[in-house]
Amino acid sequence: MNVESWLAFGAHADDVEIGMGATIKAETERGRDVIICDLTEAELSSNGTVDIRKKEAERAAELLGVSKRNNLQLPDRGLYMKEDYILQLVSVIREHKPEYVFAPYWVDRHPDHGNCARLVKEAVFSAGIKNIKDKNQQPAHKVKNIFYYLINSAERPQLFVDVTRSYRTKIEALKAYPSQFVKTLESIDTPLTNGYIERVESRDKLFGLEAGVSYAEGFITEQTYITNHL
């Protein structure tokens, strides 16, 4: 059976893990091909360096069973609506031909997350238009739907995914980013170094309570879709 791929975009390495790490692990264990594309190298992060973040991202991807993780090296805090940026995302979408695309929910305290969502929405639409040419001259590809995962938003999801069996691996993947989530004598105090992983787990427990399971991850979509499963 041919299992189609998923493509998850994040503004920074760790975004995808926060919002849907356990869903990814559950799907890769089922044999699905999942690709992560980080838009920036998070070069303006208060803690860590580009090299450190790259190594942490590679380790997290390994834990989640991701088949490929790439980085477009767009500017951190510079994810503005530019045609060149959109076309770079179009190239990624056409290369991997995903069934579904994932992006951060557009309402978030960090502007990069919302801007990432808007770039992805534009790119998904453009990727399906044959007369829009990307740098590699790839054929058009139509994505079935975009799902938005939650990072810092308290929005109630439209869709819950039971991730009880894969949840411990999500926590391991988040802990693969000690530069972001572990407070040290050298680190700068940020929201991420003050019990952030615990807050994410509490949120996913609450989603699980609503869904009638131990842990769930939540997603929002603007489109109507018909499917027997994701």
Side-chain angles (χ1 to χ4, degrees), residues 4-10 16 20 24 28 32-38 61 65-71 92-93 95-102:
E4 296 186 50
S5 66
W6 285 5
L7 175 57
F9 287 98
V16 173
M20 58 177 297
I24 288 175
T28 59
R32 188 178 299 279
D33 185 30
V34 180
I35 300 99
I36 295 177
C37 180
D38 304 311
V66 171
S67 60
K68 183 177 182 181
R69 183 170 207 154
N70 60 2
N71 193 302
V92 175
I93 293 166
E95 176 187 354
H96 296 292
K97 300 177 177 61
E99 181 180 15
Y100 296 118
V101 162
F102 298 81

Side-chain angles (χ1 to χ4, degrees), residues 90-92 94-97 132 134-140:
V90 167
S91 290
V92 175
R94 288 177 172 176
E95 176 187 354
H96 296 292
K97 300 177 177 61
I132 292 180
D134 67 277
K135 65 180 181 179
N136 297 320
Q137 301 295 307
Q138 298 174 107

Side-chain angles (χ1 to χ4, degrees), residues 25 53 67 108 116 132 139 149 166 175 189 196 201 203:
K25 180 62 176 178
R53 295 292 295 272
S67 60
D108 193 283
C116 176
I132 292 180
Y149 58 83
S166 59
K175 289 181 177 179
D189 200 34
Y196 189 84
E201 184 169 5
R203 178 197 65 190

Side-chain angles (χ1 to χ4, degrees), residues 47-225:
N47 295 306
T49 65
V50 169
D51 286 342
I52 289 171
R53 295 292 295 272
K54 181 180 179 181
K55 291 176 183 177
E56 291 174 341
E58 289 172 352
R59 174 57 180 156
E62 180 182 353
L63 286 166
L64 297 180
V66 171
S67 60
K68 183 177 182 181
R69 183 170 207 154
N70 60 2
N71 193 302
L72 295 184
Q73 299 180 326
L74 301 182
D76 196 12
R77 293 296 298 118
L79 296 179
Y80 304 125
M81 200 63 64
K82 295 184 177 182
E83 183 178 5
D84 176 58
Y85 296 171
I86 293 169
L87 287 176
Q88 288 189 55
L89 271 67
V90 167
S91 290
V92 175
I93 293 166
R94 288 177 172 176
E95 176 187 354
H96 296 292
K97 300 177 177 61
E99 181 180 15
Y100 296 118
V101 162
F102 298 81
Y105 180 49
W106 59 88
V107 178
D108 193 283
R109 68 171 181 81
H110 197 315
D112 282 3
H113 299 159
N115 289 340
C116 176
R118 285 179 275 276
L119 285 168
V120 169
K121 182 178 179 179
E122 291 286 340
V124 165
F125 193 87
S126 292
I129 299 175
K130 68 176 182 178
N131 288 329
I132 292 180
K133 306 300 182 184
D134 67 277
K135 65 180 181 179
N136 297 320
Q137 301 295 307
Q138 298 174 107
H141 173 72
K142 290 188 179 294
V143 172
K144 289 184 179 179
N145 208 343
I146 308 173
F147 291 96
Y148 299 92
Y149 58 83
L150 303 177
I151 299 178
N152 299 307
S153 176
E155 185 77 13
R156 189 180 189 280
Q158 297 168 320
L159 171 70
F160 292 111
V161 176
D162 179 4
V163 293
T164 303
R165 293 183 61 184
S166 59
Y167 200 78
R168 287 300 103 197
T169 307
K170 171 177 180 167
I171 297 301
E172 290 177 26
L174 290 176
K175 289 181 177 179
Y177 292 92
S179 73
Q180 302 306 297
F181 301 118
V182 176
K183 183 184 291 187
T184 68
L185 293 175
E186 293 77 27
S187 63
I188 295 173
D189 200 34
T190 75
L192 300 183
T193 60
N194 287 280
Y196 189 84
I197 293 178
E198 290 77 10
R199 291 199 297 274
V200 169
E201 184 169 5
S202 295
R203 178 197 65 190
D204 296 344
K205 281 183 178 179
L206 179 60
F207 288 168
L209 180 64
E210 292 199 47
V213 298
S214 296
Y215 290 95
E217 289 177 330
F219 299 87
I220 291 170
T221 180
E222 295 180 295
Q223 301 169 254
T224 300
Y225 64 96

